[in-house]
Amino acid sequence: GKTRCQGDGNYWNAASFVTSSSYLHFSTFQGEISADISFYFKTSASDGVFLENLGNTDFIKLELKSATEVSFSFDVGNGPVEIVVRSPNQLNDDQWHRVNAERNVKQASLQVDQLPLEVRKAPTEGHTRLELYSQLYVGAAGGQQGFLGCIRSLRMNGVTLDLEERAKVTPGVKPGCSGHCTSYGMYCANGGKCVEKYNGYSCDCSKTAYDGPFCIKDVGAFFEEGMWLRYNFHSPGTSMKDLVSRTLLSSTDPETTAPDLNLSKEELSFSFSTTKSPCVLLYISSYSQDFMAVLVKPSGNLQIRYSLGGTKEPYNIDVDHRNMANGQPHTVNITRNGRDIVLQLDHYPPTSYSLPTASDVQFNSPKALFLGKVIEIGKIDQDIYKYNTPGFTGCLSRVQFNQIAPLKAALRPTNTSSHVHIQGELVESNCGASPLTIPPMSAATDPWHLDSASADFPYNGQAIGDGVNRNSAIIGGVIAVVIFTILCTLVFVIRYMFRHKGTYHTNEAKGAESAESADAAIMNNDPNFTETIDESKKEWLI
């Protein structure tokens, strides 16, 4: 089945203390002989009590004494003991800090983050048991200045206290803790926005061309020949002013409310792989004559074409140093700000270009974005029209133009899916995430290339296709035949010998089958035997 990921609830078990008098209470802490307390805190206040538990005279307390000091104090009957850790940096910086306090019969210690451990030896004589009777208060107690901020993952002698559940029924305390994005927001990649949650955070990838928990999963599709996708920058019922303010320009861009509905800057990024050329990868049309296109020329080289008005011919950027139609995934990043254009391909360093002085710097009234093929009414540039047949065949992924992700809008149902029109069957694919393989080096640049014309070989025989000497191959074949013949002969001899094993010959007299006994058979068969018996063997009775 599908992989299921589950977080550590104890690690994110947190509570927010919103007033200085708010607190959570738990049963009495059982730490007579030893105490091991650890937790994380985050605050913008300069002081406050983290937790406290009282007895008749005994007590244990952890508090933020100042913006740079954390204190661990207790009394087991020998008088109060206090250990203080002083930090060179502010601890009320609204970042997570870890506190670990320990106490046993030999010593007590306190550590904050990765600062040096502060240790205090216990007296050799005196009381050693910590006797408490009140409830354990987390946040504030005894009219002292309470803690304002967040505490999470509070563990006391190995037991995690359920702060979140207790906070649900306690006034002035909220379950969970806001502010996770301050510490973990950097994990939302590729422009993803960190969103606070009670028990953690999530990444909003809606304004990116990526998907997944951390906005790092490519969203791509395979285009068959003749297939195309069009993303309309406005849908019926949406004004052009809303179009620019909501989609084409970033919400933080000062030009968002520009009334002229033109673009003076754009950011375009995508990945593609193909083996066919020429083709149109991407085309942005307009209600005017302006356009932008990314093409693969018949030679396999990449071309970026801008036509913003003011010049008779479009401004072309030709990337002639490599063949892009080699079936490998390639990444294209184009950024324009006014007249300045920055292009980056794959892992190569960015290259800067500049529009001609006569060229306009405004992209007037953008209309639609096309992938794979251009299907547009009106006049189209001749080269683009020529490259438009039969269309792009290959993979396109993580396509993003400013705040628009057309492929993702087509493959993931969102409120912008109504802007998309597709001709053909769009099949999602992770082909854009394939690793870039390095093509083989040419003979001119390969330092290990061996020229057979000038090389000296130890044998003069003609080399066969795989580089093995022909004479060596013949000798090897003869040896193999000889060995096979010997093995066959051995097998035949062994089988013959074992077939006669166990047979024997006897000199049994003929006629033994019809004789009454063995002696009778011998006498019948050998005439001399009878004579010998008669002369040499006689019986005498004395």
Side-chain angles (χ1 to χ4, degrees):
K2 295 182 178 180
T3 303
R4 292 180 298 176
C5 300
Q6 189 172 1
D8 185 356
N10 293 331
Y11 185 78
W12 289 109
N13 193 302
S16 302
F17 299 85
V18 296
T19 65
S20 59
S21 59
S22 58
Y23 62 91
L24 298 175
H25 59 87
F26 297 87
S27 59
T28 304
F29 175 49
Q30 304 298 322
E32 290 84 358
I33 302 299
S34 63
D36 184 0
I37 305 171
S38 64
F39 61 91
Y40 292 85
F41 78 93
K42 180 172 63 172
T43 183
S44 56
S46 58
D47 56 61
V49 176
F50 295 125
L51 58 89
E52 186 179 49
N53 205 161
L54 303 175
N56 288 326
T57 56
D58 296 359
F59 72 90
I60 187 170
K61 180 170 68 173
L62 276 160
E63 66 176 326
L64 181 68
K65 294 197 70 174
S66 70
T68 59
E69 294 179 321
V70 173
S71 168
F72 174 39
S73 57
F74 58 90
D75 188 355
V76 294
N78 302 319
V81 177
E82 184 180 29
I83 304 174
V84 178
V85 171
R86 294 176 174 82
S87 172
N89 303 315
Q90 297 288 322
L91 297 174
N92 60 343
D93 55 356
D94 207 29
Q95 301 288 327
W96 287 111
H97 299 281
R98 187 174 190 274
V99 177
N100 189 13
E102 295 184 32
R103 182 227 155 239
N104 53 47
V105 296
K106 293 184 177 181
Q107 64 180 24
S109 64
L110 175 65
Q111 186 174 27
V112 178
D113 294 332
Q114 300 299 320
L115 296 174
L117 182 71
E118 291 290 336
V119 180
R120 181 73 56 83
K121 296 290 184 181
T124 55
E125 297 180 359
H127 300 281
T128 59
R129 299 178 64 87
L130 178 65
E131 298 179 354
L132 307 173
Y133 70 86
S134 74
Q135 290 184 318
L136 170 67
Y137 294 93
V138 179
Q144 303 178 72
Q145 176 66 30
F147 175 74
L148 286 172
C150 297
I151 296 177
R152 68 174 172 88
S153 188
L154 175 57
R155 294 174 62 88
M156 304 190 70
N157 281 356
V159 178
T160 301
L161 302 186
D162 196 347
L163 303 177
E164 191 168 337
E165 194 66 26
R166 188 62 59 91
K168 292 179 181 179
V169 295
T170 304
V173 185
K174 294 182 178 180
C177 185
S178 61
H180 299 89
C181 289
T182 306
S183 302
Y184 303 99
M186 76 286 291
Y187 295 114
C188 296
N190 300 306
K193 182 180 178 182
C194 184
V195 179
E196 292 286 353
K197 299 180 72 175
Y198 279 127
N199 58 347
Y201 68 97
S202 64
C203 297
D204 180 9
C205 310
S206 60
K207 299 296 184 181
T208 74
Y210 294 81
D211 203 357
F214 301 103
C215 308
I216 58 177
K217 179 184 178 182
D218 289 354
V219 177
F222 185 81
F223 283 68
E224 296 182 350
E225 186 175 290
M227 181 181 173
W228 52 271
L229 180 149
R230 181 181 68 224
Y231 184 96
N232 297 316
F233 290 136
H234 74 287
S235 59
T238 304
S239 68
M240 285 296 294
K241 186 173 182 179
D242 289 339
L243 155 71
V244 175
S245 61
R246 293 179 185 177
T247 59
L248 289 183
L249 293 174
S250 170
S251 60
T252 58
D253 197 314
E255 296 184 10
T256 298
T257 57
D260 54 0
L261 307 181
N262 301 326
L263 296 177
S264 61
K265 61 177 67 175
E266 59 263 352
E267 295 181 5
L268 173 65
S269 62
F270 64 95
S271 175
F272 77 95
S273 63
T274 185
T275 57
K276 295 185 178 181
S277 61
C279 61
V280 178
L281 298 175
L282 182 143
Y283 181 88
I284 301 175
S285 65
S286 69
Y287 289 96
S288 62
Q289 297 298 318
D290 295 354
F291 71 86
M292 174 189 178
V294 182
L295 317 170
V296 177
K297 299 194 297 183
S299 61
N301 302 131
L302 197 70
Q303 184 183 77
I304 292 89
R305 182 168 294 197
Y306 268 100
S307 179
L308 302 182
T311 58
K312 294 182 179 181
E313 298 293 333
Y315 175 68
N316 299 331
I317 299 176
D318 294 305
V319 184
D320 296 328
H321 66 277
R322 67 178 305 184
N323 178 20
M324 307 295 283
N326 57 0
Q328 299 296 326
H330 299 284
T331 301
V332 181
N333 291 281
I334 303 171
T335 303
R336 184 183 73 89
N337 189 353
R339 208 173 298 277
D340 300 324
I341 301 173
V342 178
L343 169 65
Q344 184 174 17
L345 296 178
D346 298 333
H347 57 276
Y348 293 99
T351 306
S352 298
Y353 303 89
S354 182
L355 290 172
T357 306
S359 174
D360 192 3
V361 295
Q362 298 286 335
F363 196 132
N364 298 312
S365 304
K367 180 182 179 181
L369 183 150
F370 292 88
L371 297 176
K373 200 171 184 179
V374 181
I375 306 297
E376 186 63 283
I377 301 175
K379 184 179 179 181
I380 300 178
D381 183 85
Q382 288 297 319
D383 286 341
I384 295 176
Y385 181 80
K386 183 168 55 179
Y387 294 172
N388 208 29
T389 305
F392 171 74
T393 302
C395 174
L396 284 170
S397 67
R398 53 177 180 266
V399 182
Q400 183 161 358
F401 178 69
N402 287 355
Q403 301 298 312
I404 295 173
L407 267 182
K408 186 177 179 180
L411 297 170
R412 304 284 189 273
T414 62
N415 55 356
T416 60
S417 298
S418 59
H419 295 253
V420 180
H421 180 77
I422 302 171
Q423 177 66 37
E425 184 180 358
L426 188 67
V427 179
E428 184 172 359
S429 172
N430 63 348
C431 49
S434 303
L436 178 63
T437 57
I438 307 300
M441 299 178 67
S442 63
T445 58
D446 188 358
W448 300 102
H449 176 72
L450 188 61
D451 188 359
S452 60
S454 60
D456 294 329
F457 292 95
Y459 302 100
N460 294 326
Q462 183 181 1
I464 60 178
D466 59 355
V468 180
N469 188 275
R470 185 182 297 274
N471 294 336
S472 300
I474 295 174
I475 294 172
V478 172
I479 294 175
V481 171
V482 172
I483 293 175
F484 179 76
T485 304
I486 295 174
L487 290 176
C488 291
T489 304
L490 289 175
V491 171
F492 178 77
V493 172
I494 292 172
R495 284 177 59 86
Y496 180 80
M497 293 176 62
F498 275 88
R499 186 179 63 178
H500 295 279
K501 185 178 179 181
T503 62
Y504 62 92
H505 297 278
T506 66
N507 292 320
E508 189 172 347
K510 295 180 180 181
E513 296 82 356
S514 59
E516 295 180 359
S517 64
D519 294 338
I522 293 174
M523 288 186 291
N524 295 334
N525 186 57
D526 189 356
N528 297 325
F529 186 82
T530 304
E531 188 175 322
T532 304
I533 292 296
D534 293 339
E535 294 181 357
S536 60
K537 290 190 178 182
K538 296 180 180 180
E539 294 182 358
W540 297 89
L541 180 60
I542 300 176

